[in-house]
Structures are given as structure tokens and as C-alpha cells.
Amino acid sequence: QDGSVTGIVTDSDGVPLPGASVVVKGTSTGTQTDFDGNFAINADSNATLIFSYVGFATQEIPVNAQSSINVSLMADAAALDEVVVLGYATQTRGDLTGAVSSVDISEATKAPIVNAAEALEGRVSGVSVVNNAQPGGAPTVRIRGFGTSNSNNPLYIIDGIQTDDPSILNSINPADIDQMNVLKDGAAAIYGARASNGVVIITTKGGGYYMDKPRVSLEMYTGFSRAQNLPDLLNPQQFGDVIWESLQNDGVPIEHPQFGNGPTPVVPSQLQGVPASVTVRPEGTKWLEELYRTAVTSNISATIQNGTESGKYLLSMGYLNRQGIQLGTGFKRGATRLNSEFKISDRITVGQHLNISFSNTKGDGTSRVQGAMIINPLIPVYDDDGEFAGTYLAGAQLGNSRNPVAQTLRSADDYRKSLRVFGDVYAQLQILDGLSFKTSIGGDIQAYNDRRFQPLDPENAESRASAQLDEEDFDRYEWVWNNTLNYNKSFGEHSINALVGIEALSFRRRGKDIRRTDFLFETPDFYLLSTGTGTPIVDDGYDEQSSLFSIFGTANYSYADKYLLTATVRRDKSSRFRGDNQSDIFPSFSAGWVVSNEDFFPQDALVSRLKLYGSWGQLGNQSLPSDNPTVNISELGETFANYSFDGGNSIRTGAFLSQVGNPDLRWETSESTNIGVEFGLFDNKLSLNAEYFDIVTKDLISRDNSLISTTAIDAEAPLVNLGSFKNTGMDLSIGYQNTTKGGFSYGIQANISHYKNEVTELISDFQIGWPDFRGGAVTRTAVGQPLSSFFGRVVEGIFATEAEVSAHADQGFENPADGIGRFKYTDVNGDGSINDDDRTFIGSPHPDFTYGVNFNFAYKGFDLSAFFAGSQGNDIYNYTKIFTDMPSFSNTQRSVRVLDSWRPDNLDATIPRLSFAVPNNETQPNSFFVEDGSFMRLKNLQIGYTLPDSIVNKLGLDTLRFYVQGSNLFTITGYDGIDPELGPRDNGNDNLTIGVDNQQYPLAAIYTLGLNLNF
Amino acid sequence: LADEALANETGVDLLLTGAYSALDGIRNNQGAPDWAVSGDNWWFDVISDDAHKGSTDGDQPDLFALEIFDWATANPYIFGKWNGLYAGVNRANAVISLINSSEEGDLTAKLAEARFLRGHFNFELQKIYGNPAYISDENYAATEFNQPNPGPIWEQIEADFQFAIDNLPASQDDDGRPDSWTAKAFLGKAHLFQADWAPALALLKDVIDNGPYALNTEFVDNFNAAGENGPESVFAIQFAADDGQSFNGNRGGTLNFPGGGPFNPETCCGFYQPTQDLANAYKTDGSGLPLLDTFNQSDIANDAGVDTNDTAYDADTKTYDPSLDPFVTEQGPLDPRLDYTVGRRKIDYNGFGAHPGKIWIRATFGDISGPYLPKKNVYQAGELGNNQGTGAWGEQRSGINYNIMRFADVLLMAAEAAVETNDLVLALDYVNRVRNRAKNMTYVQARGAEDEVIEGTPAADYQIEPYASFASQDFARKAVRFERRLELGMEGHRLFDLRRWGVALETINTYAENEARTIPNFGDKFRAYEPKHDLLPLPLNAIDLSGGILNQNDGF
């Protein structure tokens, strides 16, 4: 019997939801709510109504002969029955048995982020994200510590496209993201060989079926960013005083071309002895302030979504322009997306995702911070004629640093452009009730080119003789085809969801890098390889290929929503390995028990939900810095292998071995165990989730530098299966959300993560990190220690007297007086003399824990959110101090810390006695450079105001919100360097060298004003 | 290129060319600057009594530390040189291993070339580090590079040179390839370094008597483009200043041109300055013979601490009128080779005009570099064109060959072996051949008021005569050793000579005392040569990476 049902649809706070869709299940009858959330629909008394609204969990409610139904929809992220996309399949959140975390995207995208990975930072337990402050740089994402010694990048799945290239995240408009889920444990086994670093699954919005009209949302912000926490450097008088004191201590005549030869240094008004007229600023040049600027940032994105009963789509466009704080740098991106899906018949659904983005990164990608920190403060940016000033000639003793402002401005016409198109088309066929087949073909195509021009720089003591142009370009093609068969059926209390599939993936990248010198014109119009006159040099030409073929299956079984079981298996075959090592099988099992669904569980207890779950799985890692690591490769080498046998200009071509292959290379395998518990209290207003994990990585793939040692060829060390290590840890997250009767809503979400990394097995006693720091490697990886521990001498203090020098172990001073004011090292091996054998482990870059806390408040139209993140207990090797605190170069700028150097009247000094030389191995790795890197940072603070409906509706809009926002407003840290949040070395490909601060790009505080508008 | 693609004669040629290319030390993944790996061994002169680092003290502080004997095992020069030489050893091993596993034609001659090169690289390792690890071609093929260093590897070096003697042709079409005579001379040198005097003499005498070499008429032809691969060249690194950025020029010697000197565009970087001690060695007595014992009791006239004269030098036009310069050059008798070795004020500088003093010196008076400029490694005027290679920042990459061994060296080595076997007559003959060439060569000419060359007027009172006789073995030994310095100064040999004669400690510490007369700060900054400095330490990275397989040299 037909009847009319009416009601009101609201969100969980009771705010009416206009335009929500109401459909009678199994029919095409549907309607939408009006501006006040009211609906009226004709439905059988035994029908079921489906209520849906973008961003909220869909609800089904049986009519049960009611004439009035009021529905409160839950925001997606909070819903237990929210559908979580896990790659090939989906699962409802309540049924998960693995370690899967989701980002609250709407909260995360409140900050003006460029790159989607920034949304993960501090918001997901067990995931650490380090922002790359350079415009257009990709952040570094690490899931549950360091699982490997080479690339630790997680696998990114974006609507079916797979890649471990984090730069793909630069191509997505964060506003398009619907869900962002992170698989941290055995649950990732469905991605087998590529999953050991975790999997980040991003799905984009796609509109909704049964919408009444197109919905448009518009987001805009504009603002500015400024460098933060710039270090204090010497002013010219202090700088001269430091030179005077150094000369005095060295016992050499006290004179200097700039500061004269008097009893005290005299700051010149003009640079002395240089071939230009250059006025010295009395207060000196504050180079860091000259190098950085207040940079404008702006963003606009618009999204349209709509859907009928047979089709839906989303179309979005976005444009971002972020100037870099370093002069002459910036990042611009235009992106557009079209997602659509159509129901061709009751059984067939087809759809597609397409993302096209174009980005342009300005500048040569070099951070000039180190140059700006060490350039002499007497040198101004420009000379009196408006030309760049510099070091001119060695005799002027102005140091060796090139004018960093000149460098960055001269490269302002350099660019890196990338056009990237990726997406997929898919079709789904309902074969039988519960049985469906899906096929999907995805592609990812990138065209990249860059230009780097180096003009003449006559103001430098060592100036370029000819201008040089470098151009590089590459094309990248990746396709993936997968076919899956899915069976999803419930029998009474039993519910089965199973899937089998096959997948093929192919990757290819081809490119070249060409260089030419001798350009007659230095204007960008002539920055073409054809306008140079030197012989062109092909620096590089490459063609990389790899492929992967896989079969996989997974089955989920649940009984009465109480007992949950999942089993997954995947077999991968990779082109990167040989013979029996090509393929491997990765299984995982997990189980959950929803205790609160048991009959015996008290229904109205404090604890409203309790779930225990655990998983075990094996995961692989095949992401390597080489596509064919198993074979030897020799190269023809214009730069390194050619030779002229007659000493004249008939050069003959030669070759050298550039890669040593290891035919026995195997997968890296991680065995991951996860145990978790989930609590919901006070009607799930308070949720708590705790997980313990243990990940053992075996057959760790790494370059074995000990195998190749230093007595080898000029190839890099071969990749070998180096050993094993273990990460154990805890992830804890807690959330509380409540709304008072007065309409005040508040919440807190916090997460804290801890891991302990330990090397359990190595094929050699130890491995050293990157050896090319001044003074050699600063990190060492050894059994029983965490990966990449700092290794060096231990500084006990500074010698004050000859007697103290004589009484201590022999440090090699010619006579005891030479030791006064110098570092005193611990005699670690107790043999009475200090040498290389007295080095030991002096710190660990691994934190005790990392955390993130988000607060949000809302009252009436106002909302406020504040997000803090931090790290506790990690050490940083402040390598930059080699330049700012030590006389590694003469006449270069220093930190004000050197004012606290050792003098007879300053015995508790932190810096050794000043000198022009570096005696006593003081810049070689030692504990002076190791600092506590703990910090807490206010990452985001935002205040918004949403206009009341009464006003908005008159404007013909649905919602209108304004906000002001600030990112990185303050940091609490004891760390001396520019930023304790360190980026990785070598794009994260070198995990044997972590936690070393070298040329960190300073963090920018960003202030923006924005609006969100929907109609 | 995969291994299979190289398994043929073309592949052998490619890899062999790659092995020659490593003679200059430049390699992939170098891990040290070009100048640290340099094949011409210039910086070993800096740690001897022949040269200062040059430039300002703070420029290349790692080399400054080496010069003042503040040696750290992590010094990148020590590491770079080690690495570069092993790259050479293993590029040679690549060829040897490939030929040994190949069934193609007769590649014995190529194999001999490769073994000669491996012998050379190992010889360099041996003389620098004393206890290098030996990497065989079998080790290479099996990727077993982590080998111990139980002691000297002379046997393996000799075996490689002997194989080369037996299998190389007596002459080669390409000047840059060794022939059997080259190999004999190198084997002779290897014996000489072990004080195996008789076999050394036999080999070297054979090369002198029957080999294809002769002294150039002009001493300077050993150091200019015109004289490349002349009769005196036994084995040279073939440098070429190819177009654009030169990869085959002398990249390791790139710093060693006057800072702000006579070239256009201005050169860099004022390194590798000869010492006062070296200049003093060229003083002769009234009979044209060197002052073997007393040469360094007084200094030849020098302009240390004296600025370029503003009247004589016009900074705007960069012209110099030596006649207006009140500085008085050394008036006493001098060996004429001095002014082909050491750039002195008011004396012609390789044809670019007279050296105007301080304005061409990059270092300040407070630095320990002194007033002199290097000459042998620097272009001659008029040869800039095809021989002036450049790099990315415009640095010089000279296309002029460096002679690893030249015939004068062979004669003096033979003379040394003859002295030690007490054949003083033969020794006298060899030494006098070298001295007579110097006597009969064209001397550096004086410069006039317009800085023009005054033909027929030598730039100084050059007096050089052959020895009449060697009165005793001791005297002969002293004379031969001294002659090596005069003839081969600033060519990268001096330190290794001092070491093998066992006199480095005494010589260098004495030199340091005397040098302080000219360079006041030198004494304060120079520490001391200690017995441990007789060998370079093994690089710290090598020790660390070997995981305890390699043993450090004594004292470090």
C-alpha cells in the first residue's frame, strides 16, 4: 500500500542537509530534500529508503509503516560502516582486521597544501611525513619507520594507478580527494611485492547518483609565506673581531685586506682591493634576509558533480601558484579531472578517471641557504653601479661563497615542466547475484623537460669562462591492466566477500640530457641549444624498463558481525630479478573479534564498542635504484673513458663498467605482525585505537659498499641482500567529538607513534653511510644498532691547561700547549691515544615517538581548528655547523655561536679556540655536531565563519564560508639548525644516511585568507 | 652495454681505451675533486720541498693540512688518489679478464698493454701507500674487491711489466701506447725503488743503449705542445684540449695556473707555487756546478713580501715595464733550468712577458705560498689555441701531455743504479748527458723596457757545466740525487725520491726551517715531518668499508 513518507535529513549536529537524495530501494523513485532538509516521497510501507549525501555515510532505513522518518546522517570519516577503499576491493570500516588508517581529508585540506601527501602529516598514526619546503618538491612519507635501506617510498594507488613515485602527488588537486587510506600491515599483502613500505590508497570524488541538480563548489585562497627561524650570524664588527682573535691565536701577523692592521679590526666603508666600487653596509649584509622574500601563494579550484539514476560525474579544475620564499623560485600547477560512471544496464557499469596536470617549477632547484649562511657579510648584494657584488679575487680575502642572490636570480628563468596524464577506464559486470567481474586499464604518461642556464658571473673570484645551457627531457609511460572477479554474498549470519584477480604492469622511461657552452647572448629568448657555439655534450641518455605480472586473491568472511577473517595471497613476477628469484608468493591472514557485538557484552556500558584484531603477512619490496640490478653494465664515457692516443684532438671512444650486477639478487621480504584493539566509549563519541606491530625485513636490498670497498671500479657498489632488521612499535590514536546542547561542538584527535629499529643481521660487520661529507661518513649501520646511527669521536670537553692535555690520552699535539682550547676526546678503547679507533656510536636519528594533535571547535557559524605535530627524542647530526661554527673555509660568515669560543677567560665555552685552521680532527664526525632534534610545531591554525543560511540562500548559494589560516606559526625546539624537520638525503634513496642536516631549505610560515562556496 | 656486447675485439678496445683514460685519475663516482686525483702527482710536490700548495691558506684547506703535515686519515686527497688508482687497476683488470675469457683471435698485445697499465697503477699505489691491497683480474671477475694489504706488491708489479716486455711490440703506431722499451724502463724503475741496483741498471742501460729514446735538444720541449711525444718522451698521459668543455685535458692540474695571470680570460687558481728552497737549488758555483751542501744557506734574491711596483705595472692596461721595477733579481750564477721551472719576478714567464710579481700571485703575504709561479705545467704563449681546454667554470684543462717518464729520468735512474753498483764512470756519463743538454739548450732571454724579448741576452747569469769527475761514490750519489731535483723539479717525482733514499724526514724538516726565512709564517704553521709521514695513511673510508680487512699504516 502506497503511502507518503515525510521527514527531515540532518547531519549529526542537527543541521539540515539540503539536496540530500532519498531513493526507494530497488526502484528509480527518488527525490531530494529542500533547503531546510525536508523531503516527501511515496513508498510502500514495507519499502526501504536510501538516504545519501556527498561526504556522508549512506543509510538505509525500512519504512515499517511510519509516515515520518527523520534521519541524521553521519559524516563519512566517523562512520563504522563507511566504505573503505582498499585497492581492488572495498570493506566497511567496522569489518577491518588490518592496520588501516584513514585521513580526515576535509580536516587535512584546511591547510593550503600543494601535495596530497602533506595531508598525511601528523594525522595518521604510524606515518611520518617530512615536507620538502622547496616549491614543487615531493614530501617524504615513511610508514612505520624505515623498512629498507633504499627507497622507502610507499606504494601509491590512485584510482587504480600504481606508482612509488611520490612526485605523482604533485599532479593531483587535493580538493579532488575523497578518501586517503593507508595500509600499514599485512593488509597490504594484496599488493605483494611492492607493499612492504606500506600502501597509500587515494580515491577521488566521483559525484553521486540521484542528485537533483549539479552541485558546484568553489575553493579559493590567497596568502603569503615567509621564511622562519633564520639563524643569527655575525655582524661586520663581530666578524672582524673573530678574524683578529683567530690570527692572534695562530700567532701570525694581524692584518687583513679589509680590516686593516690595527689593534682592532676596522670595518671598511668600501670593499678594499677589488676592481669595482662597492659600498659596505655598516650593519653588514643580512644575506638570508636578502635571499628570502615574502612570497605570494594563491589557489583556486572548482568542482562540479552531478548524477542521475544511471550516471554520475565529477569535473574539477584547479590552479595553484606558489612562489618560493627563495627569490626566483616557484611552483605553478593547473590540473583538471573528469571522473564519470554509467550504468549501461542493470548488470553493466562502466566508468573512468582522468587527471591531467601541468606543472612548472621555476629555478634550478638548488637551495642557496648554505651559500647565504657563509658568504662574507661585508659583501653587499650589488655594487655601486648596480651590478652583482661578489668575492672578486682571492687577494681581497672575501671568502669563497658565490653571491647567492645572484645565483638564484640568474636561474630564475630555469624551469622544470611536467605534463602528466593519468587515469583509467573500467567496466564491471554483474554475472550472478553476488558475483561480479571488473576489468580496468590504467595509464600514467608523463612528458618532462627542464632547462638550466648558467650565465657568466664575473664578480666571482673563480668566475665562469662561458655560459652553459643544460636541457633534459624524458617521456614516461606506465600501464596497468587488472581483471578481478568478486563474490559478495550473505547467508543468514554468514557473509563472504572474496576476490581473485590478475594484473600486469609495465613501465618505461626514455630521456636524455644535453649540455652546450659558449652562448653569445644571455637573454632567455636565446636559451636554446642551437644558439650555443661550443660542442654539444650528451650528458646522459637512458631507456629504463621494467614489468610486473601478478595473480592474487583475497577472501573475507564474517559471522554475525562478530567474527571476521581475512586471507590474502599474491604471487608476483618481476622483470628486475632473474631465474627462481623472479617470482614469489606473499600471503597474509588477519582476524577480528567484535566483542561488543557479543550477547554477553553489556549494552549500556561505558564501552559501546570493543574490537580486537590481529594480522600477519609477508610483503615484498622490489623498488630499487636500478631497473636491471642483476647484470653488469658498461658505459661509453665521453667524460670518463675517452682517450686521445696522440695527445692531439682525435679522441677515441672508451668504455668503463658502471654497474656491477648481482645475479643472485632476491626480493626484500617483510614479515609484518600487527595486533590491535579498538574502543568506542560514550556512544562512540570517544574512540581509541591501539596497535602493536613487529616488522622483520629480511634480505634487505642495499648497495654493499663493503663488497666493492674502495679498491674497486668506478661503478657503484652492487645491490645485494644485505641483512635483516626489525621495527617494533606502537601506534595509538584517540578521538573525541561532542556537541553540547547549546550547539557548541568540539573535538580532539590525537595520535602518537613509536617504533624501534634494530639491525639484526648484516653480511658485513657494519656498513657506512654516504662517505663524501667533509671528514667522511657520519653514519654507520651495524648489528644491534638502529639503522644509520651517528658514529664518531666523543667530545668530553675543551682542554683548559697544558697539564690537562698531558694527563689525557695522546691526541697527537706537537706539544701540550697546542691542545689548549681544543676538543678533548674520549679514549674509547682506552689505549692511551686518540685515533680513528676511538670512534663510537654517538646518537640515533630515530625518534622515541612522533605525534599529531588536532583540535576543532565550532559554535554557530564559527569554527576553529588547530593542529600540532612533533617528534621527540631523535638526534640530528648538524653537519651545517662544519661551516657555520668551524673555520672550514677562511673569511666566510659564522654563526654568533662562535662568540662563545674558548678563551682563557671563557672556560666553559661551547666552541673550541678560534683559529684559521681546523686542527685536531674537529670537523670530522664527533659528538659536538649531534643535537637533540625534538620539536613541536603548530602546523595549522584556522578560524572560519560560515554565513547563516538566511543570508546565503538569498544569494542563491548553499553554503559560504570564509577563513583565515596560518601554517607553521611556531616551533618549539632546542635544535640549533634552521629546521629540525629534516628532509632525506638523495631523495630518500639512501637510508644508511638519515638525520644529517645539510643545506636544509628553511621552513616557511604561510598565512592565507580563503573562502569555500557551494551552490 | 652488457658484458656480452663487449665480448669481442671491439669491446676489448673500448675497455682498454677506458683504462688509458684512467691515467689522469678522473673517474665516475670520484668522491674527491679532480685536483686530488690528478695523474700528474702535482700535489706530492706540495708535501715535498719543491712546492707550496699556493693560493691562500684557506683555499683547499685539505691540501693545506697535507702541506703542513697535519694529516687526517679522512683527508679527501688521500681518499681520492687511492680510489682513482684502483679505478685504473680495475679498468685494466676488466681488459685482462675479458681477454683471458675470450676465444677471439690473438689479443696478446692488447693484454700486454692492459698489464702494463695495471703495473703502472699498482706502482703508483705502492709508492704512495706502501702497503696497498692487490686486486687481481680474478678478484675483479668475481667482484672480490675487499682484499687484505699484507705488504708491498712489488712481485705483482714486476710480473705485469715483465709480461709487457715479453709481449709488447718494439714500437707502436700510437704515441700514447707503451712498447716493450717503455715496459723495460718501468721495470727498471720498479727495481730501482727496491734498491735492486744490478737488475735496474741492466734494464735501464738496455733502454739507453738500444731503445728509441733521446734527449730533446730543448729542455722546454718536454713541457710544451710542440714537443709532445718527442724523442725524450718514454710514457706520457696524452692530454687533449678537445672542443667545448675539455674532458681529455689535464683536469687534475686545473688549479695550477697563475691567479689573475697573463691569460685571457684570466686563469685560476694560483696553486702549485715552487719553494724558495727549490729556487736556491739552482745556484751554481763559479765553475757551473751546483752547491750540493750549501745551496740553502742563503736565498737567491726574491720579492717575498714586496708588492708589484705601481710605476712598473699599469693595472688598467695590465702592462709591465721591467726596466722601471726597482726589484733586483739574483745576480749570482744560476743553472738555466731554473727559469724553465720556477717563475720569478722580472723574468720571462713562458713567453707571456715578464712576471710582474705580486699581482700574478693569488696568495697574500700572510699565506705560506711565497712569490714564485709554476712553469712546467703552464702553457707557452702562442700555444693557447688548441691546447687551452676549459671546464664548466672556465678552469684550465691543459691539452699538453704530462710525461710520467722521460728519457732524462731514465738516464738519471741509470746513473743512480750505476753509482750504487760503483760504476762511477758510467754514472758520470749519464749525469753529464743531462747537464750538457741543459748547457746547450736555448736560455730564457731577458725582457726589455717594453717587456719585449731581448734576443741574445740571457735573463740571468746562467752557468752550467758537466762534472769533470766523481771523486767518490758518496759524492757521486749526492751529485746524482741533486741532479734529479734540478732536472725533474715540479714534475711530481721529488717526494718519492726522498722517501726511497730514506732522507725525507731530515730533508723536509730542514727545508721547513730554511723556508721560514722567506715566508715568515711558514715556521709557525708547519708542524713537523714525522717518521709516519713516509707513507700516506690508508684512507679512513677504505679502512671502514673493508670492515677490518685493511690494516692502517703505522702511526695513524
Side-chain angles (χ1 to χ4, degrees), chain A residues 129-140:
Chain A
V129 178
V130 177
N131 278 315
N132 186 329
Q134 210 142 345
T140 308

mmCIF file of all heavy atoms in Angstrom, chain A residues 129-140:
data_model
loop_
_atom_site.group_PDB
_atom_site.id
_atom_site.type_symbol
_atom_site.label_atom_id
_atom_site.label_comp_id
_atom_site.label_asym_id
_atom_site.label_seq_id
_atom_site.Cartn_x
_atom_site.Cartn_y
_atom_site.Cartn_z
ATOM 1 N N VAL A 129 55.745 12.143 7.869
ATOM 2 C CA VAL A 129 55.844 12.891 6.623
ATOM 3 C C VAL A 129 56.784 14.049 6.856
ATOM 4 O O VAL A 129 56.678 14.751 7.845
ATOM 5 C CB VAL A 129 54.469 13.450 6.199
ATOM 6 C CG1 VAL A 129 54.592 14.264 4.916
ATOM 7 C CG2 VAL A 129 53.478 12.324 6.011
ATOM 8 N N VAL A 130 57.740 14.209 5.987
ATOM 9 C CA VAL A 130 58.600 15.371 6.064
ATOM 10 C C VAL A 130 58.369 16.182 4.814
ATOM 11 O O VAL A 130 58.536 15.705 3.702
ATOM 12 C CB VAL A 130 60.072 14.974 6.175
ATOM 13 C CG1 VAL A 130 60.933 16.219 6.190
ATOM 14 C CG2 VAL A 130 60.298 14.161 7.419
ATOM 15 N N ASN A 131 57.951 17.416 5.032
ATOM 16 C CA ASN A 131 57.704 18.286 3.900
ATOM 17 C C ASN A 131 58.984 18.701 3.245
ATOM 18 O O ASN A 131 59.971 18.974 3.897
ATOM 19 C CB ASN A 131 56.996 19.555 4.372
ATOM 20 C CG ASN A 131 55.537 19.320 4.504
ATOM 21 O OD1 ASN A 131 54.933 18.733 3.624
ATOM 22 N ND2 ASN A 131 54.979 19.754 5.611
ATOM 23 N N ASN A 132 58.934 18.761 1.951
ATOM 24 C CA ASN A 132 60.018 19.342 1.204
ATOM 25 C C ASN A 132 59.643 20.804 1.002
ATOM 26 O O ASN A 132 58.686 21.102 0.302
ATOM 27 C CB ASN A 132 60.137 18.610 -0.127
ATOM 28 C CG ASN A 132 61.342 19.050 -0.903
ATOM 29 O OD1 ASN A 132 61.760 20.196 -0.800
ATOM 30 N ND2 ASN A 132 61.890 18.143 -1.666
ATOM 31 N N ALA A 133 60.377 21.685 1.665
ATOM 32 C CA ALA A 133 59.965 23.088 1.656
ATOM 33 C C ALA A 133 60.222 23.758 0.314
ATOM 34 O O ALA A 133 59.800 24.863 0.078
ATOM 35 C CB ALA A 133 60.686 23.844 2.768
ATOM 36 N N GLN A 134 60.948 23.088 -0.540
ATOM 37 C CA GLN A 134 61.220 23.649 -1.848
ATOM 38 C C GLN A 134 59.962 23.579 -2.705
ATOM 39 O O GLN A 134 59.309 22.541 -2.737
ATOM 40 C CB GLN A 134 62.317 22.834 -2.507
ATOM 41 C CG GLN A 134 63.148 23.640 -3.429
ATOM 42 C CD GLN A 134 64.600 23.240 -3.338
ATOM 43 O OE1 GLN A 134 65.008 22.568 -2.414
ATOM 44 N NE2 GLN A 134 65.388 23.659 -4.283
ATOM 45 N N PRO A 135 59.611 24.650 -3.399
ATOM 46 C CA PRO A 135 58.378 24.595 -4.187
ATOM 47 C C PRO A 135 58.445 23.455 -5.202
ATOM 48 O O PRO A 135 59.444 23.291 -5.891
ATOM 49 C CB PRO A 135 58.360 25.945 -4.920
ATOM 50 C CG PRO A 135 59.376 26.787 -4.257
ATOM 51 C CD PRO A 135 60.333 25.907 -3.551
ATOM 52 N N GLY A 136 57.389 22.680 -5.240
ATOM 53 C CA GLY A 136 57.345 21.595 -6.205
ATOM 54 C C GLY A 136 58.047 20.329 -5.760
ATOM 55 O O GLY A 136 58.065 19.337 -6.471
ATOM 56 N N GLY A 137 58.650 20.364 -4.579
ATOM 57 C CA GLY A 137 59.316 19.161 -4.078
ATOM 58 C C GLY A 137 58.296 18.200 -3.503
ATOM 59 O O GLY A 137 57.223 18.596 -3.069
ATOM 60 N N ALA A 138 58.618 16.923 -3.537
ATOM 61 C CA ALA A 138 57.697 15.922 -3.008
ATOM 62 C C ALA A 138 58.051 15.614 -1.562
ATOM 63 O O ALA A 138 59.211 15.450 -1.233
ATOM 64 C CB ALA A 138 57.785 14.656 -3.846
ATOM 65 N N PRO A 139 57.056 15.541 -0.679
ATOM 66 C CA PRO A 139 57.361 15.196 0.708
ATOM 67 C C PRO A 139 57.841 13.747 0.811
ATOM 68 O O PRO A 139 57.638 12.954 -0.093
ATOM 69 C CB PRO A 139 56.029 15.350 1.436
ATOM 70 C CG PRO A 139 55.067 15.890 0.463
ATOM 71 C CD PRO A 139 55.635 15.731 -0.901
ATOM 72 N N THR A 140 58.470 13.459 1.932
ATOM 73 C CA THR A 140 58.936 12.106 2.174
ATOM 74 C C THR A 140 57.966 11.421 3.115
ATOM 75 O O THR A 140 57.715 11.921 4.201
ATOM 76 C CB THR A 140 60.314 12.161 2.843
ATOM 77 O OG1 THR A 140 61.133 12.989 2.057
ATOM 78 C CG2 THR A 140 60.907 10.784 2.949
#
